[in-house]
């Protein structure tokens, strides 16, 4: 993923060879035959977002990539099969209408649009004023949209002397399930308060903060360009000189300062894992940083929606000092009792 000219030629090639109609964001899911861990490390070094991929039982690695990258992967010598030629269409066709439970779904394949998410925050605060604080802006995005946070606790507008936890969603704009999951959790606390002992304890004795949409601009891009859902913008919307499509932007999940620029991130502005010009170069990552620094969080959970895994620190292959590592493993085991997701560091 290095040069525009090469990419343009490859796009033409892809279109010619596969007879595909060229759309702005023809993301595909490919299956790559590779040897672990060398193959993964090489893919990551080439700028592919390997945490979005997963292995099947035969050891093939499945990954979403721009359509233009398919021919490129082949040219780079990878053994590639196209599982799904157009992920956006795939997501749209796969959607089934409202599961029958008392949880209001949104208009974007069931996910909330930005406007619907804000209305949901407001209605929760209105309906449960003793548990949910009004939303508060913690900063502004590149395109000058507010980034919103709210708190769930008893006496939600007071800063009580209780342990604090932060939950975030949609750092990557194409992973709205992380945001929906948080609203579901909040609703569950509100409805179970006073009857469910564990949820009541959580609200009484903890302060739970939520930033459901970190990457507001990327999400608005997806809902604007693909109002039927399935938009594939991942990064924020900083103009990094890659045209108006999904190649534009900085990967906010590579823009934090810990091991900034390390393996698994890219210095090329059009790659999906572009880390930005410096750590915290982006207003969205700065807003999250400043919010964390202004609080005393015991734990922070960033919800993504790829891979079906629970990843704890650190991403560079090292382990957190004890007792943190054991704590992470214990929390991880408890969190995955039902879904059986693998738990570990990114390398594991
Ligand atoms: Zn993600």
């Amino acid at each position: 993923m290095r040069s525009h000219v090469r990419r343009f030629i490859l796009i033409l090639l892809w279109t010619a060879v596969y007879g595909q109609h060229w759309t702005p964001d023809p993301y595909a899911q490919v299956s790559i035959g590779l040897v672990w861990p060398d193959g993964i490390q090489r893919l990551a070094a080439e700028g592919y977002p390997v945490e979005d991929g997963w292995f099947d039982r035969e050891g093939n690695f499945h990954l979403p990539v721009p359509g233009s990258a398919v021919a490129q992967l082949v040219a780079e010598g990878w053994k590639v099969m196209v599982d799904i030629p157009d992920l956006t269409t795939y997501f749209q066709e796969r959607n089934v209408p409202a599961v029958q439970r008392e949880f209001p779904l949104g208009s974007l394949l069931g996910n909330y649009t930005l406007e619907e998410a804000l209305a949901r925050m407001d209605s929760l605060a209105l309906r449960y004023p003793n548990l949910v604080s009004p939303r508060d802006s913690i900063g502004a995005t590149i395109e000058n949209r507010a980034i919103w946070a709210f708190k769930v606790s008893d006496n939600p507008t007071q800063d009580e002397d209780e342990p604090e936890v932060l939950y975030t969603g949609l750092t990557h704009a194409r992973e709205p399930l992380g945001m929906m999951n948080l609203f579901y959790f909040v609703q569950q606390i509100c409805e179970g308060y006073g009857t469910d002992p564990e949820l009541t304890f959580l609200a009484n004795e903890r302060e739970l903060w939520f930033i459901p949409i970190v990457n507001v601009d990327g999400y608005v891009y997806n809902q604007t360009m693909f109002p039927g859902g399935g938009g594939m913008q991942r990064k924020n919307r900083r103009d990094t000189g890659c045209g108006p499509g999904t190649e534009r932007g900085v990967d906010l999940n590579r823009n934090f300062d810990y091991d900034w620029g390390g393996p698994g991130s890219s210095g090329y502005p059009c790659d999906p894992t572009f880390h930005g010009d410096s750590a915290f170069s982006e207003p969205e990552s700065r807003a999250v940083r400043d919010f964390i620094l202004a609080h005393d969080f015991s734990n922070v959970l960033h919800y993504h929606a790829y891979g079906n895994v629970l990843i704890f620190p650190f991403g560079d292959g090292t382990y957190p000092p004890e007792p943190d590592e054991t704590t992470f493993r214990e929390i991880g085991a408890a969190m995955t009792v039902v879904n059986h997701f693998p738990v570990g560091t990114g390398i594991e």
Side-chain angles (χ1 to χ4, degrees):
M1 298 205 206
R2 293 296 169 238
S3 91
H4 283 298
V5 174
R6 188 162 159 224
R7 172 155 300 200
F8 182 64
I9 291 167
L10 287 168
I11 289 166
L12 288 176
L13 183 70
W14 164 245
T15 309
V17 169
Y18 295 93
Q20 294 269 326
H21 172 65
W22 169 246
T23 59
D25 296 287
Y27 272 72
Q29 181 183 297
V30 295
S31 159
I32 305 171
L34 50 75
V35 179
W36 191 89
D38 302 18
I40 291 289
Q41 284 163 357
R42 205 182 121 205
L43 271 181
E46 288 173 6
Y48 294 99
V50 292
E51 83 270 29
D52 286 358
W54 70 95
F55 282 99
D56 62 25
R57 282 160 195 248
E58 282 75 46
N60 295 308
F61 189 65
H62 301 267
L63 188 69
V65 296
S68 57
V70 176
Q72 178 145 2
L73 282 161
V74 173
E76 287 165 353
W78 296 99
K79 198 177 129 222
V80 180
M81 301 267 290
V82 176
D83 301 332
I84 302 167
D86 181 344
L87 271 174
T88 297
T89 304
Y90 170 77
F91 289 141
Q92 290 175 354
E93 288 174 349
R94 201 166 79 136
N95 186 45
V96 284
V99 185
Q100 293 308 313
R101 48 182 146 184
E102 298 296 320
F103 182 77
L105 295 175
S107 63
L108 208 58
L109 290 181
N111 303 301
Y112 302 138
T113 62
L114 171 63
E115 294 73 23
E116 289 165 349
L118 298 182
R120 190 82 164 96
M121 292 181 209
D122 294 344
S123 68
L124 282 164
L126 201 64
R127 183 161 172 194
Y128 302 101
N130 298 324
L131 288 175
V132 180
S133 77
R135 60 183 153 101
D136 193 19
S137 168
I138 64 162
T141 65
I142 287 273
E143 295 176 348
N144 208 27
R145 294 186 178 88
I147 303 168
W148 298 97
F150 64 93
K151 184 169 76 172
V152 174
S153 189
D154 63 334
N155 309 312
T157 55
Q158 293 172 32
D159 186 8
E160 297 187 297
D161 186 20
E162 298 169 346
E164 295 180 276
V165 183
L166 173 64
Y167 302 86
T168 80
L170 277 169
T171 294
H172 288 143
R174 63 193 187 192
E175 300 169 23
L177 204 61
M179 175 254 311
M180 295 302 289
N181 179 55
L182 295 179
F183 278 107
Y184 193 83
F185 180 39
V186 170
Q187 181 176 320
Q188 202 176 27
I189 296 170
C190 293
E191 290 177 349
Y193 186 73
T195 53
D196 182 301
E198 193 171 2
L199 296 173
T200 306
F201 173 86
L202 272 181
N204 283 342
E205 306 297 333
R206 299 286 183 270
E207 296 189 305
L208 292 80
W209 280 96
F210 294 85
I211 309 174
I213 308 178
V214 171
N215 185 356
V216 187
D217 295 347
Y219 198 54
V220 167
Y221 174 86
N222 279 335
Q223 74 179 45
T224 306
M225 297 297 288
F226 297 92
M232 291 299 284
Q233 174 77 20
R234 162 186 166 98
K235 304 187 284 182
N236 76 351
R237 290 297 294 168
R238 178 180 288 283
D239 185 353
T240 47
C242 313
T246 59
E247 293 184 343
R248 164 190 297 220
V250 173
D251 183 352
L252 298 176
N253 205 35
R254 302 292 189 278
N255 192 239
F256 294 90
D257 63 346
Y258 184 86
D259 201 25
W260 180 84
S265 70
S266 171
Y268 180 61
C270 307
D271 273 352
T273 55
F274 176 49
H275 50 50
D277 291 334
S278 60
F280 294 118
S281 57
E282 304 310 296
E284 296 91 350
S285 54
R286 284 200 301 273
V288 172
R289 174 198 64 187
D290 294 345
F291 188 73
I292 290 174
L293 290 177
H295 291 79
D296 185 20
F297 291 117
S298 308
N299 203 353
V300 180
L301 273 124
H302 301 289
Y303 274 89
H304 289 248
Y306 264 103
N308 293 350
V309 290
L310 179 60
I311 301 175
F312 65 79
F314 293 107
D316 63 0
T318 64
Y319 290 88
E322 291 291 6
D324 288 4
E325 185 187 337
T326 298
T327 303
F328 280 128
R329 289 195 192 281
E330 287 174 353
I331 292 174
M335 285 180 71
T336 55
V337 163
V338 176
N339 61 27
H340 303 295
F341 287 2
V343 179
T345 65
I347 296 286
E348 287 179 349

